[in-house]
Amino acid sequence: MTANLVSTAGFADVVLPTALQDLFASQLTPADHYSTSLDIILSTTRHPLRPSALSTILFSPSLPPLITHRAAHRLFLNSRTGLSHLLQSSASSLFSCDIHPGAVIGSGVYVAAQGVVIGETARVGDECVVMKGVTLGGTGKARGDRHPKIGKGAVLQDGCAVLGNVRVGEGAVVMAKSIVLKEV
């Protein structure tokens, strides 16, 4: 399903939809399938408008960007960076959610998609909630490991920004419109 969505976003000009489906199938590992299952469970339990797993699979705007990221991340890890960036760029245009292929996203994560930006060296722990408009970015002053590390079960509310190589601890809640520059 996600491969079909991405193929309609201009990606089909470069790659046939069936080839894109094969690419997703070849890149996603059993661990990715398990992570996606946990993403569905968390999305269903945390989102008031998702009464069932089926409605989450069919209608949740958070799943396609995560699944696309998992495929792009596998390509990135396998040194297929050009293709991973092409996939990420197409997904960014289609879903309004920019997750760098180098970012590490845990299992059971809910990303509210619209306006979310996650940088290359960012780490998002298991069971995290990332709401609309969240930025996990660098400050522009550092090289190398320059993006935030988000602990297990953290909640990042709408429009917050966590900048630099800082850690947001396990179970922490960053309120809406906050700017975090130091460890929480």
Side-chain angles (χ1 to χ4, degrees):
M1 177 171 78
T2 300
N4 288 336
L5 287 172
V6 173
S7 70
T8 61
F11 202 90
D13 297 338
V14 180
V15 179
L16 294 172
T18 54
L20 189 58
Q21 287 176 336
D22 292 343
L23 176 67
F24 269 76
S26 70
Q27 292 303 309
L28 294 174
T29 65
D32 293 322
H33 292 290
Y34 178 74
S35 293
T36 300
S37 299
L38 294 178
D39 295 341
I40 292 167
I41 291 168
L42 185 79
S43 182
T44 303
T45 58
R46 295 272 180 112
H47 198 291
L49 299 177
R50 305 282 175 248
S52 68
L54 180 61
S55 71
T56 298
I57 292 167
L58 293 176
F59 306 117
S60 177
S62 69
L63 287 178
L66 281 173
I67 295 168
T68 303
H69 167 73
R70 293 188 198 289
H73 183 67
R74 293 292 171 207
L75 288 166
F76 188 83
L77 293 177
N78 291 326
S79 299
R80 296 178 73 186
T81 55
L83 189 54
S84 71
H85 286 289
L86 179 63
L87 187 58
Q88 175 269 331
S89 178
S90 297
S92 176
S93 296
L94 181 62
F95 305 123
S96 299
C97 180
D98 189 0
I99 305 173
H100 191 283
V104 176
I105 308 290
S107 300
V109 174
Y110 176 77
V111 176
Q114 283 186 320
V116 170
V117 177
I118 300 176
E120 178 180 10
T121 61
R123 305 283 182 265
V124 178
D126 297 340
E127 302 171 23
C128 287
V129 175
V130 180
M131 298 306 289
K132 292 179 181 178
V134 168
T135 299
L136 303 178
T139 60
K141 298 176 185 176
R143 300 247 184 241
D145 192 6
R146 61 195 179 280
H147 295 102
K149 311 302 178 258
I150 310 301
K152 179 180 180 179
V155 177
L156 306 175
Q157 296 288 354
D158 297 73
C160 74
V162 184
L163 304 175
N165 188 9
V166 298
R167 178 160 169 65
V168 174
E170 248 183 64
V173 177
V174 177
M175 298 307 292
K177 304 293 183 186
S178 298
I179 299 175
V180 177
L181 301 171
K182 297 181 180 176
E183 291 197 12
V184 177

